[in-house]
Amino acid sequence: MFGVIDLPTYLAGLVLIVLLPGPNSLYVLSVAARRGVRSGYTAAAGVWCGDTVLMTLSAAGVASLLQANAVLFDIVKYAGAGYLTWLAIGMMRSAWQMWRTRREQAAEDAAPAVAAEERPFRRALVVSLFNPKAILFFVAFFVQFVSKSNPVMGFMTLGVLAQVASVLYLSALIFGGSRLAAAFRRRRTLSAGATSAAGALFLGFAVKLSLASV
């Protein structure tokens, strides 16, 4: 149906994969918590664009190429791991700065300028393209449910379902994260701790991606 093989199994797997914590969802949540709903959706738009690129590459046969070429897959995964590590270091440096200046009014005045330079759409786009969960999803899981009799419709159907699930999940995270924004603004120690935790998780994602295999 609609070019898809075993749709119920795909939907069950999709829900589980979407709900598993990953760098995409964590970054969107952190942006929403620090900067509010609008910036959260800006970051989410980067995620959706990145996922669309991965879906398109999967449909074009790049997924099969990555499966067949171990060297190419290693290049992609180590580049992604390096970028996630760079983000983690940046988060931890930011957390350290917040901790050191938590009692200084000047730090409060400087915070919006730092946030404005973050460019959440672009950063979320790159995070999405190198997201280990997304890469493995589109390389090893997504293509299994495309019918050979109607592959175009199959890729479109699976892609739309994946994006709908992502929109619903990230929207819940954005509105949940925005509730934390006021608390973060009042308590810089809490904000520093949350940013440190996010950085540590991104380091974990980097390690996971560097150990990934198809």
Side-chain angles (χ1 to χ4, degrees):
M1 183 175 64
F2 301 111
V4 177
I5 301 172
D6 198 1
L7 182 59
T9 301
Y10 171 76
L11 292 175
L14 176 63
V15 170
L16 292 175
I17 290 170
V18 167
L19 293 178
L20 285 174
N24 284 1
S25 55
L26 176 62
Y27 182 68
V28 171
L29 177 62
S30 68
V31 170
R34 289 181 284 111
R35 301 180 59 181
V37 171
R38 183 174 179 177
S39 293
Y41 271 108
T42 299
V47 171
W48 298 326
C49 287
D51 285 349
T52 300
V53 171
L54 291 177
M55 291 176 199
T56 303
L57 293 176
S58 179
V62 176
S64 299
L65 180 61
L66 288 175
Q67 285 181 308
N69 192 320
V71 175
L72 182 60
F73 182 78
D74 285 344
I75 291 173
V76 172
K77 76 175 185 179
Y78 287 126
Y83 184 73
L84 293 176
T85 301
W86 179 76
L87 286 181
I89 293 173
M91 288 181 175
M92 291 181 173
R93 289 178 60 187
S94 176
W96 174 245
Q97 186 66 19
M98 282 188 287
W99 176 262
R100 290 180 59 190
T101 61
R102 64 191 183 280
R103 293 188 177 89
E104 299 176 12
Q105 184 62 37
E108 294 288 344
D109 297 335
V114 172
E117 297 174 358
E118 186 176 345
R119 297 180 181 178
F121 176 87
R122 187 177 68 179
R123 182 165 291 185
L125 175 64
V126 178
V127 169
S128 177
L129 292 175
F130 290 110
N131 176 12
K133 187 175 70 171
I135 290 174
L136 294 177
F137 173 73
F138 290 113
V139 169
F141 182 79
F142 186 78
V143 295
Q144 296 180 25
F145 298 90
V146 178
S147 172
K148 294 182 180 179
S149 63
N150 195 355
V152 175
M153 179 62 72
F155 275 109
M156 290 181 61
T157 301
L158 296 177
V160 168
L161 291 173
Q163 291 289 46
V164 169
S166 179
V167 168
L168 294 175
Y169 179 58
L170 292 183
S171 293
L173 291 182
I174 287 168
F175 285 101
S178 65
R179 293 178 176 272
L180 300 174
F184 283 174
R185 284 193 294 267
R186 290 194 305 267
R187 302 179 182 178
R188 294 190 65 80
T189 301
L190 176 62
S191 181
T195 304
S196 298
L201 286 174
F202 266 81
L203 277 179
F205 292 137
V207 172
K208 181 179 178 180
L209 178 55
S210 67
L211 299 176
S213 60
V214 293

